[in-house]
Amino acid sequence: MFGKEEEKIIQKFSKIDHNNYKENILSIIGNWKINNKNSYDYLILHEAFNWKRLAVKIIDYFRFDESLNTKLINWIFNPHLYATFSENKFRELIGFEKYNAHLSYFYGVTIERCLIAYSEEELLKRQISYGNFVRYTPEDVYSQIYNITYNKLIDDFFSEFKITTKKISELEFEKFTYWCFKKRVDNSEPSKLASDTKKGTMFLYKFMDSENKRLYSNRSTRKKNIDFVF
């Protein structure tokens, strides 16, 4: 699964227990050698770093007991922006370069998906306000954001990356989202770019607030200002 160099890095931080699992997994990631010229399923278009996908691969390499494995998986899939650490600590653990690549994923995939969800919500509100006489489709969202139809976007994406199947995987959809983000950055006026990014961020924090209330509604002390990400 991994080469000798990767296994050496893993062994360096292999003493993982219930107390240090976060730091050790992120330290492994921080020491992981990534060549931007190579293709990795956790480095979208050689730029956007999905650290959780790499973390899952590393966790799968170990044979943890059920209790620790459950704790690790819950941590990975718990929607925190900085893996429950402060931004500075997270950056220190994974390294500056990977941190910047993580931000590329955050803005290029997470926020971009939030922008799409925000726009879908706005079109639905407009449809309802018109008494459902005017109906919008999910494809209309892409036209609104990118000034290109969804079919044109997906056809161009398939053509550029030589994808022949009509079924798109989660990884390919991540690539498509990040590719759309890059097109939006290249083709948008600065004011519209900032406005759209703000809309996506607003949607994310709305989701964060909802999750915060859901997770802590039954506790006597509510934890505030949790950084969530999809």
Side-chain angles (χ1 to χ4, degrees), residues 21-22 34 38 53 75 91 135 142 161 163 174 208 227:
Y21 63 94
K22 297 177 185 179
I34 297 177
N38 294 338
R53 185 171 283 131
W75 168 60
R91 181 171 55 231
R135 292 191 173 273
Y142 286 83
F161 293 96
I163 299 172
E174 273 190 354
M208 287 164 45
D227 286 321

Side-chain angles (χ1 to χ4, degrees), residues 9 12 17 24 31 41 48 54 60 74 92 137-138 153 168 170 188 197 200 218 227:
I9 294 169
K12 183 179 179 182
D17 57 36
N24 279 25
N31 284 271
D41 61 0
L54 176 56
D60 285 344
N74 287 339
E92 176 189 325
T137 66
L153 280 167
I168 189 167
E170 168 59 23
S188 294
T197 301
N218 295 324
D227 286 321

Side-chain angles (χ1 to χ4, degrees), residues 187-223:
N187 298 326
S188 294
E189 293 291 330
S191 58
K192 186 178 188 305
L193 182 63
S195 175
D196 283 347
T197 301
K198 183 178 180 181
K199 290 174 183 176
T201 305
M202 286 171 55
F203 186 91
L204 176 61
Y205 277 88
K206 179 181 175 182
F207 169 80
M208 287 164 45
D209 186 58
S210 175
E211 282 294 284
N212 195 8
K213 290 175 181 176
R214 182 182 67 82
L215 290 171
Y216 294 97
S217 60
N218 295 324
R219 300 187 183 185
S220 58
T221 303
R222 177 175 293 176
K223 189 175 180 180

Side-chain angles (χ1 to χ4, degrees), residues 57 63 77 85 165 204 217:
K57 291 177 182 293
R63 293 185 176 180
F77 290 102
F85 292 100
T165 178
L204 176 61
S217 60

Side-chain angles (χ1 to χ4, degrees), residues 54-72:
L54 176 56
V56 169
K57 291 177 182 293
I58 293 168
I59 291 169
D60 285 344
Y61 177 86
F62 291 98
R63 293 185 176 180
F64 295 117
D65 62 69
E66 185 177 352
S67 175
L68 180 54
N69 194 68
T70 299
K71 204 168 187 178
L72 280 157

Side-chain angles (χ1 to χ4, degrees), residues 175-199:
K175 291 179 180 178
F176 174 65
T177 302
Y178 188 69
W179 180 81
C180 287
F181 162 75
K182 288 169 69 71
K183 289 184 76 70
R184 183 168 68 85
V185 170
D186 290 340
N187 298 326
S188 294
E189 293 291 330
S191 58
K192 186 178 188 305
L193 182 63
S195 175
D196 283 347
T197 301
K198 183 178 180 181
K199 290 174 183 176

Side-chain angles (χ1 to χ4, degrees), residues 80-130:
H80 284 272
L81 178 55
Y82 302 118
T84 73
F85 292 100
S86 68
E87 180 180 3
N88 287 339
K89 182 63 175 179
F90 180 72
R91 181 171 55 231
E92 176 189 325
L93 286 167
I94 70 169
F96 185 77
E97 186 175 349
K98 292 188 183 75
Y99 172 76
N100 282 341
H102 159 71
L103 290 183
S104 293
Y105 183 89
F106 176 68
Y107 285 103
V109 178
T110 302
I111 293 297
E112 199 71 6
R113 285 178 171 176
C114 288
L115 171 61
I116 292 168
Y118 173 93
S119 300
E120 285 179 337
E121 191 176 79
E122 290 301 301
L123 285 179
L124 180 59
K125 288 178 182 177
R126 192 180 304 172
Q127 176 179 307
I128 293 171
S129 71
Y130 291 154

